[in-house]
Amino acid sequence: MLAILLALAMAALAAPMCVRMLGRNGFYVLALVPFGCLGWVIANWGSTQRVRVGWAPSIEMNIDLRFDTLAAIMSALVLGIGALILVYCARYFEDDEPRLGVFAAQLVAFAAAMFGLVTSDNMLLLFVFWEMTTVLSFLLVGHNAEQAVSRRAAIQALLVTGAGGLAMLVGIVILGQVGGSYLLSDLLAGPPTGGAATVAVVLLLVGALSKSAIVPLHFWLPGAMAAPTPVSAYLHAAAMVKAGVYLVARLAPAFAGSPAWHPLILTLGVASMVLAGLRSLQVTDLKLVLAFGTVSQLGLLILLVGIGTPDAALAGAALIVAHALFKACLFMVVGIIDHGAGTRDLRELSGLGRRAPVLRAVAVLAALSMAGIPPLLGFVGKESALGALLDADILAEPARLVLTAGVVLGSILTVGYSIRFIWGAFADKGLPPLAPDADSGSHGRGHWHAPGATLLGAPALLAVGSLVAGLVAPWLDRLLNPYAKTLPGVLNSHLALWHGFNTPLALTILVICAGIVLFRMRGRIGESATLLGNADRAYDATLRGMDRLSLRMTGAVQRGSLPLSQAAILVTLILLPAVLLAVGTRTGIRLRPWDSPFQAAIAAIMVAMALCATVLRNRLASVLVVGVTGYGCGVIFALHGAPDLALTQFLVETLTLVFFVLVLRAFPAEIEASRTAAFKVRRAILSVLVGATVAVLAAFAIAARSTEPIWHLIPDAAYTFGGGKNAVNVLLVDIRAWDTLGEISVLVVAATGVASLVFRHRRFGSAPRAVDAPNYDPDLVSWLPAGRLVDRRYRSMVLQITTRLVFPTIMVLSVYFFFSGHNAPGGGFAGGLTAGLALTLRYLAGGRYELGEALPVDAGHLLGAGLALAAGTAAASLLVGAPPLSSALLQVTLPVIGHVKVVTALLFDLGVYLIVVGLVLDVLRSLGARLDSELASAEDESASPRGGFQ
């Protein structure tokens, strides 16, 4: 199973290159992968296979896969029909189709996600694959992103199924905690009971019903018909919408007796079957006829697998296979009609049956199976379904009769819209017939472009499969009934074409006759059946209501005044902790003002500088005094024995000062008198209270400690598990590396956001080099490559000479901090900040051209490489069977260097190093080089003569 997942994943990665090299014929090559995987499924049918790979056992997150009969049924559909869809794509699309390689990759990746979903035994892993199908469905439905209808359909499908997935995740967590295991096999063997378990089951059903488009969460499926037809034939007929049916079928053996199970499953299943069947008789787009028919039949499938009896489960399994065969076939037929005639509107199609008799035969065969006509598999499954409903002793007699009546009514509607589909696509309606198209490149209205044998082969194979499966029903029964036997009770019925004259046969005859009559009365089914159409409008109304609510909430709390917003936040910071401390605290405060008189002196300086910042009008002076407070904080860290924190504080404070100075160049030196705020008592009181609140909270937090501090254990743990003596750095790159990975990810996102705000359209890219300067002279000699290009008014020879001498030393120091950080003060963050200071010095001495000479690399590339390296380190440990982000210690003895000890966390630290350097470079190029360029342009414009000839 792992090999199948890896094979499909590799095929998805190779798909863009394959399609780029072979064009649309690349789909043939890609189809070989699921075909080959299908061979493994067939070879292991009837056996139970298990795979377990440890990943994060402490949180029950392991790769647990289980292959049984139900998984085999779903896997065969996912892989077999998926392969046929890829073959179909090879002739459905043209070579000039945009993003065809990406589409192929997404389609193969979807097959991998679905296979993972149906074979997952761990519910958390199942949820991961579940959400992968949601995201890939969003991408596939929105393939034609330039069309508004595709974007709307993709977002609608994502919101509905994503919301259902979140509800399902909550249910998974509750059920796993209540049941004591997240393995489906364990929960099915010993299902938990009680109120919490009932809530969990309901939440799981919400996720399943949303994925399978059951009323009232059905409306996303007809909207998703904006997707290319291969997507509809695969996701919305054979794969994605079956995920919810699969989940219900998987849980039914243990949870069908849950109090909320039958009312929810049976009621919504019948409602979906009837209401969507009515809607299929209204719409005029052939694809929508099939889409609403899919909703109707999904209602029947959910109902059957949710009843909880072996007979109903067998009928449900048979209909799952039948539905996948005939519905995928019919969607592909619609794609051929749309491809050849240029329309799917049944009102515009006429005489196509004479022009395409083979296509008509394929469609008729599949539609007969959909309508439940013998001897096709659809008839076998429908007969078994009626018999299972009539014999479902688990239900009360009135409930059985109501359900049977609902299924009979839905089946009548199915026969009606099946006939309507064939009539709408192929019948003569008195319109001008479609003429044969001599030009194979023209698909305009009024012409018919006949499909090739390859394009027609995939749907034909599925239609013939429906017929053959019906004829060999007893053999199919032996393949499917092992799943039915997992449900409590005795399996009384079997799949067969002929069960004798009985009640199900009489109901089938009634269904067929009534369906024919209903088709003849189709014109009388007017707007009275628009109930399902209102759901889409309800979705729009819900979104509009949420938008209005968010605007009102924003308007209530965001009044457009920054001081007011800050005051609200700070008042909350004061009042909430004060009330909680007054009501709930039982600890006193033990204060030790200082350990050394130096600390008191530094604190006094910091307070004085903070007060100065509130009264100074010179912007640069204000920044400098604020910087003094930061340096004072670093000194306090150093006095308390935290050199790592002190080093980082000094470096960050220095870079912050430089960045402030870069920004202040675009501002006047002094704050205008009109913009100077007068002293306000309320602001002063608020600031004092905030400071006092923070100090009190810190004092209470320190006094609240009642056990031995954890930091007593960290040094030993750092050396034992992380192989380093610097506990701070080992914490960042090993013990709590997940936190660091999240933080640097946020840092990259923030850098990208700031760059987009500054540049508006795209990044500034690499700063220009000296050779790009208009006044560059290669014969000029300078201490710095771009030093001569700085305007004489701003050029400092002393600074350039100092930079030339000091820059290599700072870079060596940066590398030293990076390598020594695991055992001494330093690390990737400190090393990156030091390198950033070196780059800043080069920029200050030589200008924007010198920055390009120092590091001619795009900052975005550094950020991406750093994040990829850090995340790759997390994934690499999985390849050797270790938990993610776990470190390994490598020790070697070299001839000259001696004994060398390297920890693999060094690679993670290198990612941090690159991200910090990239962030500094981004700031220097946005607030420095970019601003220099704009200021130079402004100076040139002001210096140019006004008026006359220029």
Side-chain angles (χ1 to χ4, degrees), residues 140 148 214 258 374 456 605 615 740 826 857:
L140 288 167
I214 300 300
S258 180
L456 191 57
I605 294 174
V615 298
T740 306
V857 179

Side-chain angles (χ1 to χ4, degrees), residues 244 290 383 425 432 711 735 764 767 832-833 861 920 943:
L290 296 179
E383 283 277 284
W711 65 261
I735 298 176
F764 191 54
L833 290 174
H861 295 167
V920 174

Side-chain angles (χ1 to χ4, degrees), residues 15-28 30 90-91 94-96 100-101:
M17 183 61 68
C18 184
V19 173
R20 183 179 303 172
M21 294 174 60
L22 303 176
R24 60 180 182 171
N25 292 329
F27 282 98
Y28 290 135
L30 296 175
R91 287 298 171 265
E94 302 295 338
D95 284 326
D96 58 355
L100 190 58

Side-chain angles (χ1 to χ4, degrees), residues 202-521:
V202 171
L203 292 173
L204 287 169
L205 291 180
V206 170
L209 298 179
S210 67
K211 185 74 83 172
S212 288
I214 300 300
V215 171
L217 302 174
H218 63 283
F219 50 86
W220 68 267
L221 181 57
M225 294 302 105
T229 297
V231 174
S232 302
Y234 190 33
L235 275 66
H236 307 137
M240 177 179 170
V241 293
K242 294 292 196 311
V245 177
Y246 162 78
L247 184 60
V248 173
R250 178 63 77 189
L251 297 176
F255 297 101
S258 180
W261 182 277
H262 279 152
L264 197 60
I265 291 288
L266 303 184
T267 303
L268 296 182
V270 171
S272 299
M273 191 177 184
V274 174
L275 296 176
L278 286 171
R279 198 72 178 101
S280 289
L281 293 170
Q282 276 193 300
V283 292
T284 57
D285 187 323
L286 290 176
K287 211 170 178 185
L288 285 180
V289 172
L290 296 179
F292 282 108
T294 299
V295 175
S296 176
Q297 285 141 15
L298 287 171
L300 176 61
L301 294 177
I302 285 284
L303 184 151
L304 289 173
V305 299
I307 288 178
T309 63
D311 293 342
L314 179 61
L319 280 176
I320 287 174
V321 176
H323 180 266
L325 294 175
F326 66 68
K327 192 55 67 73
C329 170
L330 291 175
F331 270 117
M332 285 192 271
V333 167
V334 172
I336 293 174
I337 294 173
D338 191 17
H339 193 267
T343 181
R344 301 192 305 254
D345 194 326
L346 56 82
R347 297 169 297 184
E348 299 180 6
L349 294 167
S350 180
L352 185 56
R354 296 196 306 272
R355 295 294 180 189
V358 177
L359 180 65
R360 179 184 61 186
V362 169
V364 168
L365 202 58
L368 290 175
S369 182
M370 181 166 66
I373 308 299
L376 289 103
L377 182 58
F379 165 77
V380 174
K382 195 70 66 68
E383 283 277 284
S384 298
L386 292 172
L389 284 171
L390 292 171
D391 296 335
D393 294 334
I394 194 173
L395 303 175
E397 184 70 23
R400 288 206 304 271
L401 295 178
V402 171
L403 285 179
T404 303
V407 171
V408 168
L409 178 57
S411 300
I412 292 171
L413 294 169
T414 302
V415 173
Y417 64 69
S418 299
I419 302 174
R420 184 170 183 260
F421 175 85
I422 298 299
W423 169 83
F426 299 102
D428 293 328
K429 307 184 186 69
L431 300 175
L434 294 171
D437 189 359
D439 180 8
S440 62
S442 173
H443 303 156
R445 185 175 180 271
H447 294 272
W448 169 246
H449 174 56
T454 307
L455 187 63
L456 191 57
L461 187 60
L462 292 175
V464 172
S466 296
L467 175 61
V468 172
L471 296 175
V472 297
W475 173 78
L476 185 64
D477 177 84
R478 290 194 294 273
L479 295 179
L480 303 183
N481 67 36
Y483 162 67
K485 292 177 181 178
T486 62
L487 281 91
V490 179
L491 180 62
N492 297 314
S493 64
H494 296 278
L495 300 179
L497 266 177
W498 178 252
H499 290 285
F501 293 100
N502 52 20
T503 304
L505 180 62
L507 292 176
T508 299
I509 296 173
L510 172 64
V511 164
I512 295 172
C513 295
I516 296 173
V517 173
L518 180 65
F519 167 72
R520 299 181 65 87
M521 298 173 56

Side-chain angles (χ1 to χ4, degrees), residues 650-672:
F650 290 142
L651 294 172
V652 169
E653 198 62 47
T654 303
L655 279 174
T656 304
L657 282 175
V658 173
F659 295 159
F660 267 113
V661 171
L662 293 178
V663 174
L664 291 180
R665 291 182 300 163
F667 290 84
E670 300 283 338
I671 300 176
E672 298 86 346

